[in-house]
């Protein structure tokens, strides 16, 4: 026997469906509006100056780790072995400031008890000394240090960028907690830090600072990039490509897109003390060009007006590759 | 076809028209990313980016209005909206870097005019586009949106950056919601499946993902109303003959892409047609050329037709060209309201990615269906198979293509143009004896 639908049953069903749909939309709108209101009243560190989530995540973990260490001392090490302080991307480490002794290491526990001062990378960077030096650098508030690091169990080194925070533990021990990422995250902020630090050094020391700026063991050469210095006409004092090659007119340089990035940079610097300019480099075995960003500042080296800058790979979207 | 909710000439009631236009518009917003990318690449300022986004929205709107027309010369009369697309982006950047915005604008106008000329030729070269080539073109149009869709679905991370599970979860929820409304929904729920899914995914994302105070700041700083036409110098055009060849090549590629989109729109809107009706296609390609030229003239990035929007029309069975008029007008108006554009531009990438994946699925299947409807023989198998292999190699094994002469490079810059061009060439090549025999037969009466 087949059931015949009652007259008006279709209308009733349609009405119920419409009511349910309207209710669903209203609930979604209310939930969304409440959440937006709640978020707009929240203040959380977001590190807007950094482009990569991985960098922001690392910074948040190092800062939280430093807070835990200041509160709990060595008891915090147990927490550092768990998420979010230790994951497949990074881990934390703690060194005593006084003598560079390793107190905790999430990646290579066998380093605990050894002197971090022993660690010198392939470019001759003494990482512990660089970290301590950077704590007094006002241009590098998160104490970024870049060095070649061989991951545990590997033999080939990778560029690693690490940030650090100083802590005094409850027992009075001064130390620093740090963590790094070895996936070559080209943060334009790293170029800004290096250029601003170079500008400060030139202002303090004048010409002799040039030796420090070209030294591979210092914090001005990293991620296959280095600080350059030009005179106000665009002629190199420290060349972007060859550290000891001088007096090259960079305004004549055409990049892979056939344009003059340093002319654009100089034009921008005519109106502003700081400028960013794009530069395109050919990529081997690809039809696409690699975008780089030049971050540059006008300053003085003694009485001479100069331009200090750095060209670094720009962050790019994965689907543009 | 009987199962259309709104067929080509149906006029939806005002509220439905508005909601369907908003739904199409949501998908078009991805196009506003490209002017921002271009301005960043040429080292422009924030103010320039805002103005260019406004201009691009206006150009997209006008382009969509023209495309929806059914006049003798202009417009296809299909729901095939225009968006600021990636096709012309690389060359536009190059031109902007070489000679500033006036050169970029001049070259875009040139591209548009070349496309108008090509549109008039299309009718005479109809024999180049048998069903098999058409199906492959439609399939590749769908596939060409895959990188952008999937990258957004994963939260559009930068190369080398982390993929957050929260982003993927938001993408999955959005996609599931859209698909569920489309499969099991009835009436309004099915018609607005994309809007409902986006809303559900966006709310879910708000609960899951990290807070970014910059986003609120961006809305606060956006002007409520601002006409992006500010000074006459915006309309200055330059021309550089050394760029003409690559721009002609990219115009040919753009024409082929639009041709594919319009064919897909025709297949979806008029499934009863046994062959290709070239009249609306020619009108549509002409309209696309005019829109491209107009976008250059007003200082926007080049706009062209959007594959994902055609897919959305197929998914919702609402193919009325009046929705095109609605979304076109909406975009022209929103181009003058930066604050509204700012709010919509905050749509989370995974939500946008899910919407694109949903829409593009229909394009891909439409292409496969068209290919499968043809009885295969070895000539056709070789033509299609080899064109697909060589075309896809441009992304799967890109290194050898880096050695191509410069004038050929744009043709092999992406799988869509490479596959289409090769399919046309191979198809004619492998049928050369039959073509000659046919010609002889015709000559002999």
């Amino acid at each position: 026997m087949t059931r015949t639908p009652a007259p008006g049953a279709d209308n009733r069903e349609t009405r119920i469906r419409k009511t349910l749909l309207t209710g669903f939309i209203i609930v979604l709108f209310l939930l969304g509006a409440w959440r937006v209101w709640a978020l707009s009243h929240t203040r959380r560190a977001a590190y807007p100056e950094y482009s990569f989530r991985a960098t922001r995540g690392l910074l948040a973990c190092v800062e939280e780790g430093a807070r835990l260490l200041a509160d709990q001392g060595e008891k915090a090490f147990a927490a550092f072995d768990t998420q979010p302080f230790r994951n497949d991307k990074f881990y934390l480490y703690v060194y005593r400031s006084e003598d560079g002794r390793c107190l905790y290491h999430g990646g290579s526990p066998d380093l605990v008890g050894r002197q971090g001062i022993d660690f010198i990378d392939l470019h001759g960077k003494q990482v512990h000394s660089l970290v301590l030096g950077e704590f007094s650098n006002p241009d590098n508030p998160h104490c970024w240090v870049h060095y070649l690091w061989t991951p545990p169990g590997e033999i080939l080194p990778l560029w690693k960028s690490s940030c650090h925070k100083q802590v005094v533990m409850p027992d009075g021990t001064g130390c620093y907690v740090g963590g790094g990422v070895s996936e070559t995250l080209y943060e334009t902020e790293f170029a800004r830090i290096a250029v601003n630090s170079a500008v400060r050094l030139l202002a303090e020391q004048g010409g002799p600072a040039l030796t420090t700026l070209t030294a591979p063991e210092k914090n001005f050469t990293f991620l296959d990039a280095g600080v350059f210095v030009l005179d106000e006409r665009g002629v190199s004092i420290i060349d972007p490509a060859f550290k000891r090659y001088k007096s090259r007119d960079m305004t004549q340089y055409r990049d892979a897109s056939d344009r003059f990035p340093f002319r654009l940079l100089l034009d921008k610097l005519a109106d502003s003390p700081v400028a960013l300019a794009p530069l395109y480099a050919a990529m081997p075995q690809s039809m696409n060009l690699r975008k780089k960003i030049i971050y540059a500042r006008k300053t003085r080296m003694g009485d001479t007006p100069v331009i200090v800058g750095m060209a670094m790979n720009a962050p790019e979207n994965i689907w543009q590759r | 076809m009987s199962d259309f909710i709104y067929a080509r000439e149906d006029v939806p009631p005002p509220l439905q028209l508005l909601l369907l236009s908003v739904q199409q518009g949501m998908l078009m917003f991805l196009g506003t990313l490209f002017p921002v990318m271009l301005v960043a690449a040429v080292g422009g300022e924030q103010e320039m980016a805002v103005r260019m986004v406004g201009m691009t929205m206006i150009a997209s709107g006008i382009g969509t209005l023209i495309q929806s027309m059914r006049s003798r010369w202009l417009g296809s009369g299909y729901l095939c909206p225009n968006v600021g697309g990636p096709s012309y982006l690389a060359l536009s950047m190059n031109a902007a870097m070489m000679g500033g915005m006036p050169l970029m604008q001049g070259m875009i106008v040139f591209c548009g005019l070349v496309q108008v000329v090509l549109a008039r030729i299309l009718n005479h070269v109809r024999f180049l586009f048998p069903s098999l080539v058409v199906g492959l073109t439609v399939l590749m149009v769908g596939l060409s949106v895959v990188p952008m869709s999937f990258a957004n679905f994963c939260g559009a991370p930068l190369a080398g950056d982390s993929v957050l599970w929260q982003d993927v979860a938001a993408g999955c929820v959005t996609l599931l919601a859209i698909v569920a409304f489309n499969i099991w929904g009835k009436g309004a729920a099915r018609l607005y499946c994309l809007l409902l899914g986006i809303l559900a995914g966006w709310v879910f994302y708000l609960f899951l993902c990290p807070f970014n105070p910059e986003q609120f700041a961006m809305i606060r700083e956006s002007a409520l109303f601002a006409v992006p036409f500010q000074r006459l110098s915006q309309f200055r055009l330059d021309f550089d003959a050394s760029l003409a060849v690559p721009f002609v090549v990219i115009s040919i590629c753009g024409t082929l892409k639009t041709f594919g989109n319009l064919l897909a729109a025709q297949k979806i809107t008029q499934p009863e047609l046994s062959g290709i009706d070239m009249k609306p296609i020619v009108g549509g390609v002409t309209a696309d050329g005019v829109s491209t030229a107009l976008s250059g003239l007003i200082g926007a990035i080049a706009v062209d037709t959007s594959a994902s929007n055609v897919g959305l029309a197929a998914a919702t069975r609402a193919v009325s060209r009046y929705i095109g008029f609605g979304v076109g007008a909406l975009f022209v108006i929103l181009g003058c309201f930066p604050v509204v554009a700012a709010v919509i531009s905050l749509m989370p990438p995974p939500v946008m990615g899910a919407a694109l994946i949903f829409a593009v699925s229909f394009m891909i299947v439409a292409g496969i269906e068209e290919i499968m409807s043809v009885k295969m023989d070895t000539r056709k198998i070789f033509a299609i198979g080899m064109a697909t292999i060589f075309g896809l190699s441009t992304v799967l094994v890109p290194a050898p293509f880096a050695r191509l002469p410069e004038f050929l490079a744009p043709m092999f810059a992406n799988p869509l143009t490479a596959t289409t061009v090769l399919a046309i060439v191979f198809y004619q090549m492998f049928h050369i004896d039959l073509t000659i025999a046919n010609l002889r037969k015709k000559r002999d009466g």
Side-chain angles (χ1 to χ4, degrees), chain A residues 78-201:
Chain A
F80 291 174
D81 281 328
T82 59
Q83 290 268 12
F85 299 106
R86 187 175 175 174
N87 55 48
D88 57 338
K89 297 281 175 200
F90 61 80
Y91 51 80
L92 298 188
Y93 50 79
V94 181
Y95 283 88
R96 196 156 62 191
S97 306
E98 182 190 358
D99 54 3
R101 187 184 169 88
C102 182
L103 301 179
Y104 168 82
H105 204 286
S108 308
D110 52 313
L111 289 177
V112 174
R114 286 171 59 182
Q115 306 282 28
I117 212 148
D118 295 341
F119 173 51
I120 298 172
D121 85 347
L122 282 181
H123 289 297
K125 293 186 183 212
Q126 293 187 335
V127 179
H128 177 67
S129 309
L130 278 178
V131 172
L132 292 183
E134 287 303 310
F135 279 128
S136 55
N137 179 356
D139 295 306
N140 190 0
H142 298 119
C143 191
W144 285 102
V145 170
H146 315 273
Y147 50 94
L148 283 168
W149 168 255
T150 308
E154 296 291 331
I155 57 161
L156 300 174
L158 299 168
W159 275 110
K160 183 163 181 167
S161 303
S162 299
C163 61
H164 304 87
K165 192 156 176 80
Q166 270 179 318
V167 183
V168 178
M169 289 203 279
D171 63 2
T173 311
C175 59
Y176 63 84
V177 56
V181 278
S182 7
E183 298 209 17
T184 46
L185 305 177
Y186 296 100
E187 290 282 4
T188 310
E189 179 66 5
F190 294 160
R192 192 198 63 76
I193 292 168
V195 169
N196 289 357
S197 306
V199 165
R200 202 167 37 77
L201 202 67

Side-chain angles (χ1 to χ4, degrees), chain A residues 17 24-25 28 34-35 39 42 48 51-54 183 185 257 259 268 278 280 285-287 291 316-319, chain B residues 34 37 41 43 94 97 147 155 157-162 167 181 186 196 203 206-207 211 214 399 401-402 409:
Chain A
R17 258 203 329 258
F24 174 72
I25 294 169
L28 280 180
W34 172 73
R35 186 66 184 151
L39 285 176
T42 316
S51 309
F52 290 85
R53 296 155 165 179
E183 298 209 17
L185 305 177
S257 69
R259 53 185 280 281
K268 286 187 167 191
Y280 286 83
Q285 305 197 340
S286 173
M287 286 166 101
K291 187 185 170 191
E316 59 177 359
N317 292 317
I318 45 171
W319 64 268
Chain B
F34 298 114
M37 279 181 196
N94 218 1
M97 285 165 183
L158 297 169
D161 205 356
S162 335
D167 277 331
F181 280 119
K186 281 182 183 168
L196 291 168
V203 171
L206 283 173
F207 279 88
F211 168 65
E214 275 178 281
F401 295 94

Side-chain angles (χ1 to χ4, degrees), chain A residues 13 17 21 24-25 28-29 31-37 39-49 51-56 89 183-185 255 257-260 264 268 276-278 280 283-289 291 293 315-321, chain B residues 34 37 40-45 86 89 93-94 97-98 147-148 151-152 154-164 167 181 186-189 196 199-200 203 205-214 216 220 398-399 401-404 408-410 412-413:
Chain A
E13 197 189 320
R17 258 203 329 258
L21 187 64
F24 174 72
I25 294 169
L28 280 180
F29 264 112
L31 276 173
W34 172 73
R35 186 66 184 151
V36 168
W37 180 84
L39 285 176
S40 65
H41 287 77
T42 316
R43 286 283 173 269
R44 257 192 275 169
Y47 310 109
E49 65 272 41
S51 309
F52 290 85
R53 296 155 165 179
T55 323
R56 294 196 290 260
K89 297 281 175 200
E183 298 209 17
T184 46
L185 305 177
D255 70 4
S257 69
D258 218 23
R259 53 185 280 281
F260 299 93
L264 178 67
K268 286 187 167 191
L276 287 164
Y280 286 83
M283 277 202 292
Q285 305 197 340
S286 173
M287 286 166 101
N288 301 320
L289 303 179
K291 187 185 170 191
I293 286 279
E316 59 177 359
N317 292 317
I318 45 171
W319 64 268
Q320 281 181 294
R321 285 204 144 178
Chain B
F34 298 114
M37 279 181 196
V42 299
E45 307 298 330
L89 197 65
M93 277 181 191
N94 218 1
M97 285 165 183
M98 278 176 70
M148 194 196 288
N152 275 284
C154 299
L158 297 169
D161 205 356
S162 335
V163 174
L164 301 180
D167 277 331
F181 280 119
K186 281 182 183 168
L196 291 168
L199 185 62
V203 171
Y205 182 90
L206 283 173
F207 279 88
L208 216 60
C209 285
F211 168 65
N212 185 355
E214 275 178 281
F216 288 105
R220 271 198 301 271
F401 295 94
R403 303 272 179 263
L404 282 177
L408 273 178
F412 292 91

Side-chain angles (χ1 to χ4, degrees), chain B residues 87 100 129 140 165 168 173 280 282 316 333 335-336 358 382 409 437:
Chain B
S87 312
F129 303 101
M140 294 311 294
W165 70 266
V168 179
V173 165
V282 171
T316 53
I333 294 166
C336 301
F358 165 78
F382 285 138

